[in-house]
Every structure is written in structure tokens, then in C-alpha cells.
Amino acid sequence: MLLLTSRAAQAMDQAIHALLSKASMGMSPISLTLAWSDWLLHLAVSPGRLGTLAQLAAQLVHTSTQAQLGALDNSAAQQPAEVDDRFGDPLWRRWPFEQIRSGFLASSAWWKQASLVDGMARHNAHLVEFFTRQWLDALSPANWPATNPQVLTATLASGGQNLLNGGRLLVRDLVEQQARRGEQPPGTLSPLPFAVGTDVAVTPGKVVFRNHLIELIRYESTTATVHPEPVLIVPSCIMKYYILDLSPRNSMVRHLVDQGHVVYMISWRNPDVSDRDLGMHDYLHSGVMAAMAAIQAGSGADYIHAVGYCLGGTFLAIVAAALGGHDCSSDARSRTGGVCAVCGCGLPKFRSVTLLATLTDFTEPGELGVFIDDDQLRTLREEMAHTGFLSGRQMAGSFQFLNSRDLIWARNVRRYLLGQDSKPNDLMSWNTDVTRLPERMHSEYLQSLYLNNALAAGRYRVGNTAVALGDIQAPLFVVGTARDHVAPWRSVYKIHLLTDTHITFVLASGGHNAGIVSEPGHPHRSYQIASMEHGHRWVDPEEWAAQVPLHQGSWWEAWQAWLVQRSGPRVAATPIPADTVIGEAPGQYVHVRYAD
């Protein structure tokens, strides 16, 4: 009798799981099956709900024949009248496209209601709602040439040239996609539309520290005097750092430097298979804390302003909480090497902490939650076990999936049906410069924070000590963005429940990236801002948004004023010490790219 070893059995299971995952777009087929079964079984035993849906269907069939959906009353059937950019062109108001549009919106309204069934597990309900929306977005008449009046009009006007142009673009994109999937060394990748160090990431500076995980860049001052507290920026390791140093006109780094701040930026290393065992501990200690120690050693600063973006903000919040429970002031410092006599960390204190689009409570992570449950994490771990990392292509695909209406379907219509080649910009170029995440760090991050919410619950451990966000003593400046699919602003706002220090909260227009890259002078930018002091009472986010006035313009200017209030008197600017310089900005790590 042939017996399988445990390793052979595990390999067989993983191979089957990988095939099933590939067939279900990287999702766990078991999670998807359980979700749809949960929905179907609860719907099957709810005759009242079925009756309500039947009545709604009849009503929607009747009203969808009307020329204008806006004529509906305020019943549940009014949902199809929602504003939808896909059908904004006046051509959609003509026969027969008005009927096609209204019929589709009526069907969408019915399916949205049908996906809501009482009694389902919360995660299953989220999966069903999300995939129902994905399915409806894919079936939109705006996506198909025969039912899109804009495409038909363009085809008639150009004699089909738009479709010919779209075909050329499709072939070009398929060839480039195939090339990206090939086994190519970093140097053979297609060049980025905006070259790093030439078009973007051009703020002058020097690399002043490097270890296996980070390079630390110090930027050259452009003012005669500067604020004494350096600004350390901790970007997300999910992305290249220069999202905050794009073109000079929209560079947050350039803005801060021109306002008289001494700015440091972490540039994370793009990992390879040899980095598979790097964990969260490494990103906190060899990343954030190492950068803080390097700033203290190179500048002698006892206080810094720290800024964290996305996952970098979560790292920063953990470090601020870990260091907030003991005194690292200059009085407690052993002046031998600047090491703290209490904890030995040798780190400067936080004068302030700014968190940009950062989650600290993960109970409601928005659309990313559809990818996270025990079985899906097992599927992801099995896949990463073969590669040692989560590829940048996988990550980019997940983010596209979250906003498929705009990032996939609308783009396809514009590109392949209307034949319009998009003009690249610095943000789009950066978006294609993807990064990897090490196997261990990514697993720990999803398991401890997203799945178990350990940070908000006070169970996340740094070393042997559990940390609590309530130990953060520095004042906080927290920014959420109104259309964020990655860090929903209401979840970002929950930091009010977890800390008891000064919080200035900003709700900015835009999404996860565009809402943060919101330079002064950019049109159509607005924000709301309000502060709460130590001992503040809880204000519901909806109540907060309703009562806080709206300001036109960039929140960067309000942030700058906030930083100045918490900074010491300006001092004479000094050049970057020559003995600390390792190389020129933007450094080496930012240039590392992979074909996967």
C-alpha cells in the first residue's frame, strides 16, 4: 500500500488549492462558496423577504419604462435614480439608450436589495454585496459597444477608427502584460513614463543611513532658517516612497522643505526571496526606530515631528505607542552615544505625530475586508510559501479590483472602445512602479491587525510588551479621505476612541492617494478640520461631518500652521554633514523593480 508522507500530502493539498484559487481570481473558493450558500439558504427560508423582492421587481419593471427615473417617488424603487458617471453623457437620454440605461439601473437596484438578507454572517454578507456589485459593474451597458451610444456615435463619426485605435492599444497592452509576466531581470523592464530621479523624486537630498531594510534620505534646506525639530516621513512599504515626492509642483517633501522644515524620508527596500523571513518586528525596529536613531545621531535632535502614510502610519502608531509608556526625555538620557538610560533605545521623542490615511482599528477595513478571513489567509500563505513574497502585480490587481468601475471598466471603454490613449502623469507612473511584501511580514500584518485587530485591542506586542494606543502622548494630526477604498475615513476616525491626547482630524476630498497628494493651488480640493483636546468626549463621525465647516483649498496649509504651533523658534539652517552622506537622493532602493 502506497502511503503519502505528510510533506507530500501537504504539497498535494497546496497544489489543488492553488488551482482553485487561480480559477476564482485569487480568492479562496471555499470562502466564496460559503458566502453564497449563506445568502441562498437565508433567502430560501425567508418567504417574507422573497415576497418583498417580488413586489420590488414588479414595481421596477413598471417604472423602468418611464423616460426619466427622476419622476419616481421616494419609495425603495427610487434607488436607480442615483447619480452615475457612466451614464452622464446626454446621449444616454435618447431612445433606446434611455430604456437600456433605466432597465439596467432598475435591475441593479433589485440585486442590491436582494443581496441584503438578515441573519447572514457579517463577512459573508460583505462578500456577497461586494461581488454582486462587481458582477453588475461588469454587465453595465456602458461596457459594450452595441449598447453604449458614445461608442456608436464615435464609430459612425470616425468610420470605425476609434475601434481600430482601441485594437492597437489592446494588442500593445497584451504584449506589455506578457512581458511583465516573463522572467526578466530588473534592468530589462519597460521604462517608467516618469523616470525616478529625473522627473519625479527630484527634491535635492542625500542618503545618510542605510541598512538591509531602509535608506534614510535627508533633504537639503532651501531656507536660511529652519524649525529645530526634524520631520521624519514613514511612507507605506506597499508603495514606493516618492508618492510624497512626485513632481516639484505636487511634492509634499518640497512643500515642507520650502516651509523651513528639515525633512527625512524612509525609502523601503523592495524585497526579494531572500527577505521572506523579514517580519513586522524588522519593519518596526530596523525601519522606523532605526531611522529615528539615525536622525538623533546625525542631528542631535531630541524631538521630531513624525509623519506616517497608510501602512507606514500604522507602523508609526505602533512605535509611538510602544515608546509612549516610558520617559525617553533628555533628562533620562545617558549621554554616552545618546542612549536612553531607561530603555536603551536612543530615540528622540515625538513632538507630534501625523497619520495620513492610516488604520489603527481594523474592525471595518472597507473593501479590503473581502480578501481577509482565515481560509483566504491560508490560501495566501500557501501561495507565498512558493515565492517568499506577495508580488507587486498581485497587490496592484487587488487594489484595481476594489475600484473596478473606474480602474478597469471605465478605463477599458475609454481605451479600447473609444480609442483614447491616456496621457501619462506622475501619479499614474508611480502607480505602475509596484513593490513586493515579504512573506512573513505580510502574513503577520494581516493575521494580527486585520483578522484579530490586536493593535486596537491592546494585544499587539513589541518585543515582550503589549502596546496600547492610549499610551501615545504626542499630539496627533490625523487625515482621512472621503473616497478611500483602502482606509475608509470612518475607520481612520476611530483613533478618537483609542487615544486620549490632542487630535486634529481632517476629512479631505479625494481618495487614498489623490486626497493626500493635495498641494496648494490644485483645483477642486476641499477639507473639513476640527480639533479635540485631552479628555474629549466622543463625537460620532456622521455628527462630526455634519457640524464641521468645509474649507476650499489644500489641507497642507492647515497642517503647516499646526506644525509651526508645535515647533520651537527657528534656527540657522546648516548643511548636511559630509561625514553622514552615503549617496545622493533618491538612493538605490527606490530603483529596484521586478517583472512580477
Side-chain angles (χ1 to χ4, degrees):
M1 181 178 179
L2 181 64
L3 298 177
L4 288 174
T5 65
S6 60
R7 178 173 294 182
Q10 183 181 32
M12 180 185 297
D13 290 346
Q14 289 179 353
I16 295 298
H17 297 160
L19 288 173
L20 293 173
S21 176
K22 187 175 182 180
S24 55
M25 299 176 294
M27 302 285 291
S28 164
I30 296 175
S31 293
L32 294 176
T33 301
L34 289 174
W36 288 110
S37 299
D38 194 358
W39 171 76
L40 186 60
L41 289 172
H42 277 89
L43 189 62
V45 297
S46 303
R49 181 61 176 160
L50 288 169
T52 300
L53 290 173
Q55 290 176 339
L56 179 61
Q59 185 177 10
L60 290 170
V61 167
H62 172 72
T63 56
S64 66
T65 61
Q66 300 180 20
Q68 295 293 332
L69 293 179
L72 298 176
D73 59 20
N74 291 325
S75 66
Q78 192 171 356
Q79 293 183 51
E82 64 186 9
V83 176
D84 195 322
D85 293 339
R86 294 172 295 182
F87 308 113
D89 193 284
L91 291 171
W92 284 101
R93 301 299 185 270
R94 299 178 182 178
W95 185 90
F97 304 107
E98 169 63 27
Q99 284 65 38
I100 294 173
R101 179 186 74 95
S102 62
F104 171 74
L105 289 175
S107 298
S108 297
W110 188 87
W111 276 107
K112 288 175 183 176
Q113 288 295 315
S115 67
L116 305 175
V117 182
D118 289 339
M120 293 177 62
R122 182 177 178 180
H123 180 64
N124 288 343
H126 190 187
L127 277 171
V128 169
E129 185 276 332
F130 178 81
F131 279 96
T132 298
R133 177 155 42 85
Q134 297 294 321
W135 171 60
L136 291 170
D137 286 344
L139 293 178
S140 167
N143 299 338
W144 311 99
T147 53
N148 187 325
Q150 295 171 269
V151 175
L152 292 174
T153 300
T155 303
L156 290 173
S158 68
Q161 188 63 40
N162 59 307
L163 296 179
L164 188 61
N165 291 341
R168 293 194 187 101
L169 292 172
L170 177 59
V171 170
R172 190 177 79 185
D173 289 350
L174 289 175
V175 170
E176 290 181 356
Q177 185 179 37
Q178 187 65 30
R180 284 196 298 270
R181 289 177 177 172
E183 296 296 327
Q184 302 179 65
T188 64
L189 288 169
S190 300
L192 295 166
F194 283 70
V196 178
T198 301
D199 304 308
V200 293
V202 295
T203 304
K206 309 290 185 184
V207 176
V208 296
F209 175 79
R210 180 187 293 131
N211 62 21
H212 181 72
L213 188 59
I214 69 167
E215 290 180 325
L216 183 65
I217 301 168
R218 176 176 171 177
Y219 293 94
E220 297 174 0
S221 298
T222 59
T223 55
T225 60
V226 294
H227 299 285
E229 300 86 359
V231 176
L232 169 63
I233 303 179
V234 184
S236 174
C237 56
I238 294 175
M239 57 186 75
K240 294 288 182 72
Y241 84 84
Y242 65 90
I243 178 67
L244 300 177
D245 186 26
L246 290 169
S247 305
R249 62 176 175 79
N250 60 356
S251 166
M252 179 180 286
V253 169
R254 178 67 66 100
H255 175 77
L256 288 170
V257 169
D258 288 345
Q259 298 299 316
H261 294 283
V262 176
V263 179
Y264 290 81
M265 173 81 80
I266 288 177
S267 175
W268 299 101
R269 183 171 180 270
N270 199 357
D272 57 33
V273 66
S274 68
D275 301 309
R276 67 187 313 152
D277 290 325
L278 290 176
M280 286 280 289
H281 171 90
D282 298 289
Y283 277 76
L284 298 176
H285 288 82
S286 298
V288 181
M289 294 184 186
M292 293 173 65
I295 291 173
Q296 204 283 331
S299 69
D302 287 327
Y303 292 90
I304 62 170
H305 296 295
V307 184
Y309 181 22
C310 188
L311 178 54
T314 305
F315 291 161
L316 177 59
I318 293 172
V319 170
L323 299 181
H326 61 260
D327 181 15
C328 288
S329 68
S330 57
D331 293 339
R333 238 179 250 279
S334 163
R335 281 306 169 186
T336 304
V339 177
C340 174
V342 176
C343 68
C345 68
L347 305 181
K349 292 191 71 175
F350 295 109
R351 184 71 79 189
S352 73
V353 173
T354 296
L355 302 177
L356 309 176
T358 294
L359 289 178
T360 50
D361 184 301
F362 291 79
T363 51
E364 296 177 301
E367 304 290 22
L368 275 177
V370 302
F371 299 110
I372 301 167
D373 58 39
D374 288 305
D375 192 67
Q376 295 197 74
L377 290 189
R378 184 203 64 176
T379 300
L380 184 61
R381 283 195 297 268
E382 289 176 347
E383 185 172 351
M384 290 192 298
H386 292 288
T387 62
F389 52 80
L390 180 73
S391 75
R393 182 166 50 84
Q394 287 175 285
M395 201 154 19
S398 297
F399 287 127
Q400 277 191 326
F401 198 35
L402 296 180
N403 190 19
S404 62
R405 178 184 293 188
D406 294 330
L407 299 182
I408 297 177
W409 299 114
R411 177 186 180 274
N412 288 353
V413 170
R414 196 167 53 247
R415 193 167 179 80
Y416 306 135
L417 300 184
L418 295 175
Q420 299 171 358
D421 194 0
S422 55
K423 184 179 180 181
N425 58 47
D426 52 7
L427 188 58
M428 290 172 57
S429 179
W430 165 85
N431 200 45
T432 64
D433 194 5
V434 295
T435 58
R436 295 168 168 177
L437 290 180
E439 174 189 353
R440 179 180 174 186
M441 188 280 279
H442 191 49
S443 294
E444 290 175 349
Y445 167 56
L446 293 181
Q447 184 77 37
S448 61
L449 299 184
Y450 273 95
L451 198 59
N452 297 326
N453 201 29
L455 179 59
R459 296 193 302 269
Y460 189 84
R461 307 186 78 82
V462 175
N464 296 320
T465 305
V467 300
L469 294 171
D471 286 335
I472 296 177
Q473 300 174 19
L476 298 174
F477 191 96
V478 181
V479 181
T481 59
R483 295 187 291 104
D484 199 328
H485 293 271
V486 179
W489 79 265
R490 292 171 182 82
S491 294
V492 173
Y493 182 89
K494 286 184 179 181
I495 197 168
H496 287 86
L497 289 170
L498 304 173
T499 58
D500 189 19
T501 185
H502 168 99
I503 299 177
T504 293
F505 187 81
V506 169
L507 176 58
S509 61
H512 188 71
N513 296 326
I516 299 301
V517 183
S518 181
E519 71 281 3
H522 194 294
H524 313 302
R525 289 289 191 256
S526 61
Y527 65 96
Q528 295 169 270
I529 183 170
S531 297
M532 296 184 183
E533 300 300 333
H534 169 77
H536 55 75
R537 72 175 185 87
W538 168 246
V539 178
D540 177 86
E542 305 302 333
E543 179 185 349
W544 185 95
Q547 67 186 17
V548 175
L550 183 70
H551 301 272
Q552 298 300 319
S554 169
W555 61 266
W556 288 12
E557 295 175 317
W559 178 42
Q560 161 62 14
W562 187 90
L563 288 174
V564 169
Q565 290 177 358
R566 289 156 182 82
S567 299
R570 291 174 73 134
V571 298
T574 57
I576 300 173
D579 59 351
T580 66
V581 175
I582 297 174
E584 297 291 327
Q588 299 175 5
Y589 289 173
V590 73
H591 290 292
V592 177
R593 300 173 63 204
Y594 298 104
D596 54 29

